[in-house]
Amino acid sequence: MTIPYSKSSSRGPGSPDVVGFYDEASGSCQYICIDPATKKCALIDVVLDFNPARARTSTESADWALDWIEREGLTLEWILDTHPHADHLMAAAYLKQKTGAPNAIGEKVREIAGLWRDFYNTPGAFDPEADFDRLLADGDTFRIGDLDLHVMLSPGHTLGSITYVVGDAVFAHDTFMQPDSGTARADFPGGSAAMLYDSLMAILALPDEFRIFIGHDYGSEGRDDPAWESTVAEQKASNKHLGGGVEKDDYVKVREERDATLNLPDRMLHALQVNLRGGRLPEPEADGNSYFKIPANRF
């Protein structure tokens, strides 16, 4: 399996090396965030590969990342996700089982779980406190090696999305896309284009030279190769939806009109019931197999 990847090198003390790698099937961008001084690292938004036609999972993306970590002599300290993804299944549970490293996500996953218990008609399902080692709040800080990591609440795409800021590296998930593609959708349950605009503005308030690493790329007109890195300055100047200082009301109008034309991601109804378990499949039934529960006529 060939996985497109690139390395964005540290810019000096306090700045991480970032390895970005790409899942073509879901358009997902995944990251290894590395402290060059201590060789400690975190994995961010790693995909559990999934074939929706067969409802079959596999671990090529996660294993690629673990192989990189072993080859480079790194130590994995954290398994991080920015939100319960709708576009892909998360590999956090698999990575935790393989490595013993703790996993974390934003604390508002509790509220997201409440929404989806209703959609799946599973009142007793989803226990974030059991499936995640740490639930992160806006303003929380911790470390990857000697690097400080700061948590920003960035709702809009979901009500509980968080951004990780590590030195000059901003892991901005499903807020920004590449400047030639614009911004992420905001029409999932609990989402809001108005909240997303505020989250985008908070990220753009960071220094111009900060690197922004996004959650998804699907290419654009005139660009087929995946890309996932830009800067705050580049997003301010040329983002398709925001560049040049677009006002909030204008942005919300464009975003909501665009979202109204979009279908659900083809993995969404499978993914949420896994990701709200920290990447675990539903509990096996009497025959030893796990089964997805898909709501009919709810969306």
Side-chain angles (χ1 to χ4, degrees):
M1 179 180 182
T2 301
I3 293 182
Y5 74 94
S6 65
K7 182 177 179 181
S8 180
S9 295
S10 167
R11 296 176 174 179
S15 171
D17 289 330
V18 178
V19 176
F21 57 110
Y22 186 69
D23 175 49
E24 183 176 2
S26 65
S28 299
C29 306
Q30 312 158 78
Y31 299 100
I32 312 172
C33 179
I34 305 162
D35 175 15
T38 65
K39 291 205 157 189
K40 294 181 178 179
C41 69
L43 289 171
I44 301 176
D45 287 345
V46 177
V47 168
L48 182 66
D49 301 277
F50 183 64
N51 182 330
R54 298 183 178 184
R56 176 171 289 276
T57 62
S58 57
T59 60
E60 288 92 341
S61 294
D63 289 335
W64 185 95
L66 293 177
D67 288 346
W68 180 287
I69 288 170
E70 182 178 9
R71 186 171 62 250
E72 297 297 315
L74 306 176
T75 300
L76 180 63
E77 283 201 313
W78 286 99
I79 301 159
L80 305 175
D81 279 277
T82 54
H83 62 291
H85 311 274
D87 312 84
H88 70 261
L89 279 64
M90 65 170 65
Y94 172 75
L95 291 166
K96 181 176 176 179
Q97 181 268 323
K98 292 285 285 187
T99 68
N103 63 340
I105 199 168
E107 66 174 356
K108 286 185 175 287
V109 68
R110 298 183 185 99
E111 296 174 47
I112 298 171
L115 290 173
W116 284 90
R117 287 186 192 104
D118 176 62
F119 285 120
Y120 289 120
N121 191 30
T122 52
F126 314 136
D127 183 1
E129 280 82 2
D131 285 317
F132 294 94
D133 295 297
R134 187 163 175 183
L135 300 179
L136 298 164
D138 184 42
D140 277 355
T141 62
F142 56 98
R143 302 197 111 191
I144 301 168
D146 291 337
L147 298 176
D148 291 324
L149 184 152
H150 300 269
V151 176
M152 295 173 59
L153 179 63
S154 300
H157 177 70
T158 75
L159 62 83
S161 301
I162 57 173
T163 294
Y164 298 110
V165 182
V166 187
D168 67 325
V170 183
F171 297 94
H173 56 93
D174 298 16
T175 51
F176 286 101
M177 302 182 83
Q178 284 298 88
D180 59 3
S181 296
T183 60
R185 65 194 294 174
D187 60 325
F188 296 150
S192 161
M195 285 195 299
L196 181 58
Y197 181 89
D198 292 340
S199 296
L200 294 162
M201 291 299 104
I203 294 169
L204 291 184
L206 296 168
D208 281 353
E209 68 273 15
F210 275 29
R211 296 171 287 169
I212 292 179
F213 298 97
I214 59 171
H216 289 279
D217 185 61
Y218 307 107
S220 65
E221 187 175 347
R223 178 176 63 83
D224 294 326
D225 292 336
W228 44 79
E229 180 179 355
S230 61
T231 65
V232 169
E234 289 168 345
Q235 293 283 2
K236 280 182 182 175
S238 59
N239 183 280
K240 182 177 178 180
H241 295 155
L242 288 170
V246 171
E247 296 294 329
K248 185 173 184 175
D249 288 348
D250 295 329
Y251 172 80
V252 169
K253 181 176 185 296
V254 168
R255 183 70 267 165
E256 290 181 345
E257 288 176 352
R258 170 64 175 154
D259 288 351
T261 71
L262 301 176
N263 206 344
L264 293 183
D266 64 357
R267 291 159 172 75
M268 179 174 172
L269 297 179
H270 296 88
L272 267 298
Q273 61 194 285
V274 172
N275 295 343
L276 289 167
R277 294 181 170 96
R280 291 188 304 109
L281 293 176
E283 294 297 330
E285 297 190 9
D287 64 356
N289 294 307
S290 294
Y291 291 87
F292 291 103
K293 184 174 185 179
I294 304 297
N297 300 320
R298 295 295 303 270
F299 296 92

